[in-house]
Amino acid sequence: MPRPKTRIQLRNSETILEAALEVFSSQGFRGATLDQIAEVAGLSKPNLLYYFPSKEAIHQTLLTRLLDTWLDPLREMDAKGDPVAEVMGYMRRKLQLSRNYPRESRLFAIEILQGAPRMREAIEGELTALVAEKAGVLRQWMDEGRIARLDPVHLVFSIWALTQHYADFDVQVRSVLGEGHDPYAEAGAFLETLYARLLAP
Amino acid sequence: MPRPKTRIQLRNSETILEAALEVFSSQGFRGATLDQIAEVAGLSKPNLLYYFPSKEAIHQTLLTRLLDTWLDPLREMDAKGDPVAEVMGYMRRKLQLSRNYPRESRLFAIEILQGAPRMREAIEGELTALVAEKAGVLRQWMDEGRIARLDPVHLVFSIWALTQHYADFDVQVRSVLGEGHDPYAEAGAFLETLYARLLAP
DNA sequence: ATGGGTTTTGACCGGGTGGTCAGATGTTGC
DNA sequence: GCAACATCTGACCACCCGGTCAAAACCCAT
């Protein structure tokens, strides 16, 4: 069970994780099989298990990597910037994440939906702490009258919900919109309007 | 494979569906096993299969029942009512659905997340048609200047996203909020404010 | 009580799944 | 070229899972 060192190890580990993301995000943990992942990766099943000790370990690696990417846009929200612009910027970055990494979004969603059995720790630690910190920043801005007074945590929830919806419920969104639409472009415009009105002091 | 007729058949069919909802909504279709469902239902596995021809059939029955419940709140939105009150009412009913039927919400979410393999038809038919109809009503209200001009379909998406979030991501919501919170009460207040500001002409 | 229909179950089956292993094949430094 | 090590694979295993079936247990009208 080598930690990536050589070129081959690095390349194959990445190939496997990429394939695993594809399969886990569309089938869930139990729905995915090592054979499927192996096929997508273009490797044999025993070869997967040469690079990762178990199916569980592959999944765990994906989740761990994911969390950082996922929280970055919120980390970037700057207490020293312009409040409305900062919240808007956060919303835009999160929507971009949904657009560019829909599989990651779905992987995350499936995990939380099922009670976060393999992520509880990270959620109760890192994620909760970061939201608490940024809620403080938002509350400060509200106290200063620079954005409308709202429950800051639910404001964050609203950004999560509204942006992730377009990745997680992609099938439904596209079906309802019909052809000839760019869901993310329209969502961007809609959310700009929404948060402009919501945040105005 | 009897269609419910006698008391026993009715009672056991319901027991099975209730248990299946519990298990499917927390494990997904492939993650769930008949043994788990049987255990929760307090029946033997072969006995389940006396009432339903297959695992698939149990799942299908749940989904079919679900869709109607799920669309009812939108159906009730009345073109002849007061626009802001009607949209607000829809949002409130949808939030109540999340509060009262979180398992159903998660069952639905998992299905869509995985590409709606067993629901595509219903989504492309019933659901899409209903949204199209109600989007027309919303557009009419906007033309009359009675609510703000917005993309009506994305307005509906926003209600779905913001209300279902509290059921689907329950674990995350509760972790971030910490103890001593009533997520749904707070969400209700937050969403009232949000839609009041968003919809005002 | 008894007989016919309904409900329930233990035992079993075949296919799929995660994981192992011995050995084959490739790669690299000398 | 070759030894030492890294990478890869076919064959295999034990377990799980959805589903079957024959027979047992139960229910109830007569």
Side-chain angles (χ1 to χ4, degrees), chain A residues 94-110:
Chain A
K94 204 73 176 57
L95 189 61
Q96 277 308 310
L97 225 54
S98 280
R99 187 207 276 263
N100 296 338
Y101 303 99
R103 295 175 307 175
E104 282 83 347
S105 184
R106 286 193 280 269
L107 183 68
F108 191 82
I110 290 180

Side-chain angles (χ1 to χ4, degrees), chain A residues 23-49:
Chain A
V23 178
F24 280 136
S25 69
S26 72
Q27 315 276 345
F29 180 76
R30 285 213 52 186
T33 72
L34 286 179
D35 290 282
Q36 280 177 81
I37 298 174
E39 170 146 8
V40 173
L43 299 171
S44 70
K45 182 170 64 168
N47 208 6
L48 296 199
L49 294 164

Side-chain angles (χ1 to χ4, degrees), chain B residues 15-30:
Chain B
T15 306
I16 291 168
L17 288 173
E18 159 65 25
L21 174 60
E22 185 69 30
V23 177
F24 281 136
S25 70
S26 72
Q27 315 275 348
F29 180 75
R30 285 214 52 186

Side-chain angles (χ1 to χ4, degrees), chain B residues 75-103:
Chain B
R75 286 205 191 88
E76 285 176 37
M77 197 175 76
D78 183 2
K80 294 189 287 285
D82 173 66
V84 172
E86 286 296 327
V87 176
M88 286 286 192
Y90 173 44
M91 178 273 283
R92 274 184 221 118
R93 288 192 296 276
K94 204 71 176 56
L95 188 62
Q96 278 309 310
L97 224 54
S98 280
R99 186 206 276 262
N100 297 336
Y101 303 100
R103 296 176 306 178

Side-chain angles (χ1 to χ4, degrees), chain B residues 145-163:
Chain B
R146 301 171 74 190
I147 55 174
R149 181 161 298 284
L150 296 160
D151 186 317
V153 175
H154 288 266
L155 177 57
V156 172
F157 287 163
S158 77
I159 293 175
W160 289 352
L162 288 167
T163 56

